[in-house]
Amino acid sequence: MRNILGIEFPQYIEGIGELKAFDGKRHSGTPFEAKLKSPNGRNNKIVESLEKAIELSGLRDGMTISFHHHFRNGDYIVNMVLETLAKMGFKDMVVAASSLTHCHAPMIEHIKSGVVKRIETSGLRGELANAVSAGLMDIPVIFRSHGGRAYAIASGELKIDVAFLGAPSCDCAGNVNGFNRDGDNSYDCGSLGYAMPDAEYADKTIILTNNIVPYPNTPCAIPEINVDYIVKVDEIGDPKGIVSGATRYTTNPRELKIAKMASDIMEHSGYFKNGFSFQTGTGGASLAVTRFLHDKMLKKGIKASFALGGITGAIAKLHEEGLIKKLLDVQDFDLEAVRSARENPFHCVVSGHHYAGSGIEGSAVDQLDMVVLSALEIDTNFNVNVLTGSDGVIRGAIGGHPDTASGAKMTIVVAPLIRGRIPTVLDKVNTIVTPGSTVDVFVTEYGAAVNPLRKDLIQKLTSVGIKLHTIEELKEISEQIVGKPKPVEYGEKIVGLVYYRDNSVIDVIKKV
Amino acid sequence: MRNILGIEFPQYIEGIGELKAFDGKRHSGTPFEAKLKSPNGRNNKIVESLEKAIELSGLRDGMTISFHHHFRNGDYIVNMVLETLAKMGFKDMVVAASSLTHCHAPMIEHIKSGVVKRIETSGLRGELANAVSAGLMDIPVIFRSHGGRAYAIASGELKIDVAFLGAPSCDCAGNVNGFNRDGDNSYDCGSLGYAMPDAEYADKTIILTNNIVPYPNTPCAIPEINVDYIVKVDEIGDPKGIVSGATRYTTNPRELKIAKMASDIMEHSGYFKNGFSFQTGTGGASLAVTRFLHDKMLKKGIKASFALGGITGAIAKLHEEGLIKKLLDVQDFDLEAVRSARENPFHCVVSGHHYAGSGIEGSAVDQLDMVVLSALEIDTNFNVNVLTGSDGVIRGAIGGHPDTASGAKMTIVVAPLIRGRIPTVLDKVNTIVTPGSTVDVFVTEYGAAVNPLRKDLIQKLTSVGIKLHTIEELKEISEQIVGKPKPVEYGEKIVGLVYYRDNSVIDVIKKV
């Protein structure tokens, strides 16, 4: 065998295998075959339209397309792509989104017309959720946790053919960021954590951006090596919906009471010591927990090693005050968090996989000491529902709930005991999202209950005078006030499958 | 079908497939099966010994193990691992290192004893190189460029079973860095770019570190999700060999003359304008080019958008002076570069894949305007050899030579015309590493020659009065001084296969 330079070599070598000959071409055999050298520049991945990018990607009917939810209720990408696919005549697509919300109601029409056949998501809200609950789809929606989704993508269980990822900034080669450091930053979403596994594992990745910035757009969330095509669009979303300006601090006395109790439990749990780690969410009570914790840290001279998850300005403030050494940020909830992620070297963007991935190699959730989570319902086995309302209709998202609950040494669920005359504690929740064996404490405005599995915690907390209830007692208190709720009447049709973080079925959602 | 919580669901759903039941265990069916929740902590990947990590990894005879070369001639990892494998009785291993050098001479014994069957590397030096050139191995060594290796790993052509990666810092979960920000930093190597693809794609990754640091070791080069086991060792290398203290500025008049000419050509090439990009190496002339360029940038008020590749303190200085906006750093050559990578937010570590990956998605080399490279030999077709000496013996490394030559709009090769009475320009180089079609300019102390393919460059340079030779003229000048060299006498046995960046055979190295 001889190559184009005249060098002779054997076609096969025992211990190595077949050899191929240098042919003086770049990527011979691909559609990109070209000269080895392009002195006028190369590798500009920007194509003229979304249609063109879709054509080049090789997308076919029935394939799986993916989206991220970092633009939240301001997202334009999902609707834009589905409308384009509809116009181009695509059918039977599987939509694998990291989450879907109110603004994605137009998907209903694409389901009816056969463009979308199946959905995977962390959550559903608004009209689309109502329609799915009412039996819109032939195939049940698969609900995965953020960590379960990352694991499914990395393990190949969820194979993404083409990822369509919106980006506040991208250079000509595809280095992508959740910030635009080179101009208009009103579309910044901060971390792009949930988009990173998609870009890494999808067969083809198409970036939709309103800001093409100079090369190299580094440091970047998604490196160019994971990007195939780039489309410049006028708008990727509505800035007002992408992040809220500032997260309001609650003055609701019920939320403050819950937060005070939760933070007292954290303080006396044995986990509150130098180098501890925690995650809190965005709900009123959760944010207030962060504030109470701040005061306790200052008072006791205790510092945290890291805070994890969706990051708020409140958490960023603790980092900037030196009370939290590092932030691992999978998603930003407000403009202050976005700013901190842009400015602070130890406020680091992590992928959904690094955050909560459920493979045996573990992830950051496995290093958490304490997490504070919300609940729509909890049952006497401490199983938690964050996905369906008391009417059985889908109205929420799994998020990282089961991931952090499983990883954290102490999982605290906070919720009002009664919401609008509906009790939170039930004999059995409508939908099990997080198994009770991973939930340690339930805190309400009427007091707290500790999972009887955690005798160590009960002992620690009662020894410092914290009065605990059993969860049955909390249920009774609520039933004395508002009575026992009537069970939801479901049909037979399964409209949703709830996957636990290992992608096993933990519950099903039936038509209401 | 019913899961452990009593939820009923169908075993199979059309459009989705087989479903699996939640069983209340973590990773059921794996050796790590455990409770869903471990309140006493989990996910400490530190194992007591290298032997234990090897056992757990499932390594078997004949498998492929990988190493990085960021500890250069100070590396202890390769020898330590091979010695352990020898003691444990392993045979027929394939060693896929990003590069090998003088300190790896002990591998000769492991080849003789059958522990090592085959080698892949970017280069070989010293005793090991001499022995391979003399016919030590039954199967030829495969030499790949840094970009070709990354592509081979990402595409699955080079399948790594277990990666053994040395790290100056690592936390209990496996977040790895080339710096230790939490204590003894005398083993810092800076970027771990060439280790990143290994960690990402290897079936199992074992980290060997002398510094276990607090979680989370972020920002990190290798995230915990790519790490399986961690072994604490006393020493990962000899700090003196890992990085040189400071790169000395040349006073050699021949090198200065070459550098002056090269920088003049860069200035007048048409590529020297605001936002240009470049890469220079560590040789005396290359470093001097950086200094001449610095003066030209200051004088003309021109700034670069980025510099790429192995980073030196000289390049870091330009970045810190604001003359280069961003650094993309795959490897650090001296302590000043390491410090800059640790301190400067826009001095970013990139993987070998992001640096030079040769897949159709491209990489940073494809955005380069100008690169300055060295050569051991160049022929009248501009083909370059950086791998074998004038005696035919292996004594170098491919590195990113063909990758950057192919990517850059202008590739300048600098070399003395004569080295110790041996001419650099030949009719045919001993080993073709970089094809002449990707080399644009050759600069020596006797003048420069431009590849006739680049009429545009010839026109630009001569129009400003730069006197050019043909490469044949340069060859004649040297032959007038030292005569025509005798061709090397090779045997028949192929001892090395030189792969181009697409992993085709561009040349073979025969026994001397």
Side-chain angles (χ1 to χ4, degrees):
Chain A
M1 200 167 181
R2 237 177 231 281
N3 71 20
I4 199 172
L5 298 172
I7 305 293
E8 223 174 342
F9 61 97
Q11 196 162 355
Y12 179 90
I13 292 183
E14 192 62 41
I16 293 178
E18 295 285 335
L19 303 180
K20 59 184 175 188
F22 174 67
D23 64 2
K25 291 173 187 161
R26 187 172 155 89
H27 306 303
S28 49
T30 80
F32 292 83
E33 187 172 309
K35 277 195 274 188
L36 278 183
K37 178 106 177 173
S38 305
N40 297 318
R42 187 174 46 208
N43 210 27
N44 181 332
K45 297 176 183 166
I46 303 168
V47 297
E48 72 261 26
S49 67
L50 179 54
E51 286 81 354
K52 184 72 187 170
I54 291 167
E55 268 172 37
L56 289 169
S57 75
L59 190 70
R60 295 192 311 274
D61 289 351
M63 281 187 165
T64 298
I65 56 179
S66 89
F67 302 93
H68 71 70
H69 72 287
H70 287 283
F71 304 155
R72 280 160 285 263
N73 206 33
D75 178 58
Y76 289 173
I77 302 294
V78 172
N79 296 340
M80 190 191 307
V81 169
L82 290 182
E83 205 180 304
T84 305
L85 293 180
K87 275 189 196 145
M88 293 174 77
F90 280 91
K91 291 282 175 196
D92 296 333
M93 308 312 292
V94 177
V95 170
S98 61
S99 209
L100 295 168
T101 189
H102 300 276
C103 66
H104 299 119
M107 203 187 296
I108 296 171
E109 291 310 313
H110 297 305
I111 293 166
K112 287 182 179 167
S113 68
V115 176
V116 174
K117 181 183 68 175
R118 193 163 84 68
I119 295 176
E120 303 207 0
T121 180
S122 163
L124 288 176
R125 288 189 172 90
E127 287 175 48
L128 178 58
N130 293 339
V132 167
S133 282
L136 173 68
M137 304 194 74
D138 294 334
I139 303 173
V141 170
I142 292 178
F143 293 91
R144 297 185 198 258
S145 74
H146 289 326
R149 180 178 192 266
Y151 169 59
I153 292 172
S155 67
E157 179 175 326
L158 170 52
K159 171 78 175 55
I160 299 170
D161 296 298
V162 182
F164 292 89
L165 306 176
S169 72
C170 179
D171 62 34
C172 63
N175 293 295
V176 164
N177 243 320
F179 322 104
N180 180 10
R181 299 184 194 268
D182 295 276
D184 175 22
N185 62 8
S186 49
Y187 295 81
D188 285 8
C189 62
S191 176
L192 280 173
Y194 296 127
M196 291 158 75
D198 302 46
E200 190 175 345
Y201 290 98
D203 262 6
K204 297 288 173 189
T205 297
I206 297 172
I207 301 296
L208 295 97
T209 186
N210 54 344
N211 290 308
I212 304 281
V213 299
Y215 187 95
N217 187 23
T218 47
C220 60
I222 296 171
E224 60 191 285
I225 49 174
N226 294 340
V227 171
D228 299 282
Y229 309 104
I230 301 162
V231 182
K232 169 91 164 66
V233 296
D234 291 337
E235 286 180 302
I236 51 173
D238 174 4
K240 286 192 294 291
I242 291 176
V243 281
S244 54
T247 321
R248 191 188 50 86
Y249 184 70
T250 187
T251 53
N252 178 325
R254 192 171 69 170
E255 287 181 343
L256 287 173
K257 199 168 171 192
I258 294 171
K260 173 73 170 52
M261 180 70 158
S263 63
D264 286 346
I265 288 172
M266 290 167 90
E267 179 181 359
H268 297 290
S269 62
Y271 299 118
F272 185 65
K273 54 192 178 194
N274 252 326
F276 81 106
S277 60
F278 70 103
Q279 174 170 342
T280 54
T282 51
S286 260
L287 274 173
V289 166
T290 307
R291 189 153 99 170
F292 285 120
L293 213 54
H294 169 259
D295 297 344
K296 288 179 195 294
M297 290 168 82
L298 276 184
K299 197 170 155 192
K300 294 210 167 173
I302 283 175
K303 292 180 182 182
S305 55
F306 72 98
L308 178 64
I311 300 294
T312 59
I315 293 288
K317 186 166 173 280
L318 264 69
H319 176 54
E320 293 183 336
E321 284 182 29
L323 292 174
I324 306 174
K325 193 172 176 196
K326 296 187 176 178
L327 303 184
L328 302 182
D329 180 354
V330 72
Q331 174 177 17
D332 290 296
F333 285 121
D334 56 41
L335 282 175
E336 271 302 285
V338 171
R339 181 197 53 74
S340 168
R342 193 172 54 228
E343 292 177 2
N344 293 313
F346 295 107
H347 179 161
C348 295
V349 168
V350 292
S351 71
H353 193 177
H354 196 167
Y355 163 50
S358 53
I360 56 170
E361 70 282 3
S363 55
V365 294
D366 295 313
Q367 304 295 333
L368 267 180
D369 288 328
M370 302 185 270
V371 64
V372 179
L373 296 167
S374 62
L376 292 171
E377 299 173 342
I378 188 167
D379 67 27
T380 47
N381 288 318
F382 285 82
N383 296 313
V384 174
N385 170 22
V386 287
L387 198 50
T388 54
S390 59
D391 53 1
V393 176
I394 301 161
R395 53 172 284 194
I398 299 178
H401 204 286
D403 303 309
T404 52
S406 163
K409 291 178 187 154
M410 179 173 72
T411 300
I412 300 179
V413 168
V414 295
L417 192 62
I418 299 160
R419 279 191 183 92
R421 302 208 56 75
I422 294 167
T424 301
V425 189
L426 306 168
D427 290 320
K428 190 196 162 309
V429 291
N430 274 307
T431 308
I432 303 175
V433 165
T434 298
S437 58
T438 63
V439 174
D440 301 297
V441 187
F442 176 53
V443 180
T444 75
E445 72 277 32
Y446 288 89
V450 173
N451 190 325
L453 291 171
R454 292 302 301 271
K455 293 195 179 60
D456 59 324
L457 266 184
I458 294 171
Q459 201 270 323
K460 274 207 182 77
L461 297 174
T462 51
S463 75
V464 295
I466 293 178
K467 189 174 150 23
L468 297 173
H469 296 271
T470 65
I471 195 151
E472 289 80 6
E473 285 168 359
L474 291 175
K475 184 168 83 88
E476 269 169 41
I477 295 171
S478 71
E479 287 176 359
Q480 278 164 12
I481 303 170
V482 294
K484 224 179 163 74
K486 268 191 230 158
V488 181
E489 289 192 14
Y490 288 105
E492 270 312 297
K493 182 178 180 179
I494 296 175
V495 300
L497 293 169
V498 184
Y499 277 18
Y500 187 61
R501 59 195 307 251
D502 63 357
N503 299 307
S504 62
V505 177
I506 190 166
D507 209 344
V508 298
I509 302 171
K510 294 195 171 169
K511 182 177 168 176
V512 284
Chain B
M1 200 168 182
R2 237 176 231 281
N3 71 20
I4 200 173
L5 299 170
I7 304 294
E8 223 174 341
F9 61 95
Q11 196 161 354
Y12 181 89
I13 292 182
E14 191 62 40
I16 293 179
E18 295 285 335
L19 302 180
K20 59 184 175 187
F22 174 68
D23 63 3
K25 291 173 187 160
R26 187 172 156 86
H27 307 302
S28 49
T30 80
F32 292 83
E33 187 173 310
K35 276 196 273 187
L36 279 183
K37 178 107 180 172
S38 305
N40 297 319
R42 185 173 49 209
N43 210 28
N44 182 331
K45 296 176 183 167
I46 303 168
V47 297
E48 72 262 27
S49 67
L50 180 54
E51 286 81 353
K52 184 73 187 169
I54 290 167
E55 269 172 36
L56 289 169
S57 74
L59 189 71
R60 295 192 311 273
D61 288 351
M63 280 185 166
T64 299
I65 56 179
S66 89
F67 301 93
H68 71 71
H69 71 287
H70 287 283
F71 303 154
R72 278 161 287 265
N73 206 32
D75 178 57
Y76 289 173
I77 303 293
V78 172
N79 296 341
M80 191 190 307
V81 170
L82 289 182
E83 204 179 305
T84 305
L85 292 179
K87 274 189 198 148
M88 292 173 79
F90 280 90
K91 290 280 174 199
D92 295 333
M93 308 312 292
V94 177
V95 170
S98 61
S99 210
L100 294 168
T101 189
H102 302 275
C103 65
H104 301 119
M107 204 188 294
I108 295 170
E109 291 310 312
H110 298 303
I111 294 165
K112 288 181 178 165
S113 68
V115 176
V116 173
K117 181 183 65 175
R118 191 164 84 69
I119 295 177
E120 303 208 358
T121 180
S122 163
L124 287 176
R125 287 189 172 91
E127 289 174 49
L128 178 57
N130 294 339
V132 167
S133 282
L136 172 68
M137 303 193 75
D138 294 334
I139 304 173
V141 171
I142 292 178
F143 293 90
R144 297 184 198 260
S145 74
H146 289 325
R149 179 178 193 266
Y151 169 61
I153 292 172
S155 67
E157 179 174 325
L158 171 51
K159 171 76 175 55
I160 300 169
D161 296 300
V162 181
F164 293 89
L165 305 176
S169 72
C170 179
D171 63 35
C172 63
N175 293 295
V176 164
N177 243 320
F179 322 104
N180 180 11
R181 299 185 193 269
D182 296 275
D184 174 23
N185 61 9
S186 49
Y187 296 81
D188 285 9
C189 62
S191 176
L192 281 173
Y194 296 126
M196 291 159 75
D198 302 46
E200 191 176 343
Y201 290 98
D203 262 6
K204 297 288 172 190
T205 298
I206 297 172
I207 301 296
L208 296 96
T209 186
N210 54 344
N211 289 308
I212 304 283
V213 298
Y215 186 95
N217 188 23
T218 48
C220 60
I222 296 172
E224 60 190 285
I225 49 174
N226 293 341
V227 172
D228 298 284
Y229 309 105
I230 301 162
V231 181
K232 169 92 164 63
V233 296
D234 291 337
E235 285 180 302
I236 51 174
D238 174 4
K240 285 191 294 292
I242 291 177
V243 282
S244 53
T247 321
R248 192 188 50 86
Y249 184 72
T250 186
T251 53
N252 178 327
R254 192 172 67 169
E255 287 182 342
L256 288 172
K257 200 168 171 195
I258 293 171
K260 173 73 170 52
M261 181 68 158
S263 63
D264 286 347
I265 287 172
M266 291 168 89
E267 180 181 1
H268 298 290
S269 63
Y271 299 118
F272 186 65
K273 54 192 177 194
N274 252 326
F276 81 106
S277 59
F278 70 103
Q279 174 169 343
T280 54
T282 50
S286 261
L287 274 173
V289 166
T290 306
R291 190 154 97 170
F292 285 120
L293 213 53
H294 169 259
D295 297 344
K296 289 181 194 291
M297 289 169 81
L298 276 183
K299 196 170 156 194
K300 294 211 168 174
I302 283 176
K303 292 180 181 182
S305 56
F306 72 97
L308 178 65
I311 300 295
T312 58
I315 292 288
K317 185 165 173 280
L318 265 67
H319 175 54
E320 292 183 337
E321 284 182 30
L323 291 174
I324 306 174
K325 193 172 175 194
K326 297 186 175 178
L327 303 183
L328 301 182
D329 179 353
V330 72
Q331 175 172 209
D332 291 295
F333 286 121
D334 56 40
L335 282 175
E336 271 303 285
V338 172
R339 182 198 53 73
S340 169
R342 193 171 53 226
E343 291 178 1
N344 292 313
F346 295 107
H347 179 160
C348 296
V349 168
V350 292
S351 71
H353 193 179
H354 196 168
Y355 163 50
S358 54
I360 56 170
E361 70 283 1
S363 55
V365 294
D366 295 313
Q367 305 296 332
L368 268 179
D369 287 329
M370 301 185 270
V371 65
V372 180
L373 296 167
S374 62
L376 292 172
E377 299 174 342
I378 187 166
D379 67 27
T380 48
N381 288 317
F382 286 84
N383 296 314
V384 175
N385 170 22
V386 287
L387 197 50
T388 53
S390 58
D391 52 1
V393 175
I394 301 162
R395 53 173 284 195
I398 299 180
H401 204 286
D403 303 309
T404 51
S406 162
K409 291 177 186 154
M410 180 173 72
T411 301
I412 300 178
V413 168
V414 295
L417 191 62
I418 299 159
R419 280 193 183 91
R421 302 208 55 78
I422 294 167
T424 302
V425 189
L426 306 168
D427 290 320
K428 193 197 159 306
V429 290
N430 274 308
T431 308
I432 303 175
V433 165
T434 297
S437 58
T438 64
V439 173
D440 302 297
V441 187
F442 175 53
V443 180
T444 76
E445 72 278 31
Y446 289 89
V450 173
N451 191 323
L453 291 170
R454 293 299 303 271
K455 293 194 180 58
D456 59 323
L457 265 182
I458 294 171
Q459 201 270 323
K460 276 209 182 76
L461 297 174
T462 50
S463 75
V464 295
I466 293 179
K467 188 172 149 29
L468 297 174
H469 297 270
T470 65
I471 195 149
E472 289 79 7
E473 287 168 0
L474 291 175
K475 184 168 82 91
E476 269 169 42
I477 295 172
S478 70
E479 287 177 0
Q480 279 163 12
I481 304 170
V482 293
K484 224 178 160 76
K486 271 192 228 156
V488 181
E489 289 192 15
Y490 289 105
E492 271 311 298
K493 183 178 180 178
I494 296 175
V495 300
L497 293 169
V498 184
Y499 278 17
Y500 187 61
R501 60 197 306 254
D502 63 356
N503 299 308
S504 62
V505 177
I506 191 166
D507 209 343
V508 298
I509 302 171
K510 294 194 171 170
K511 183 177 169 177
V512 283

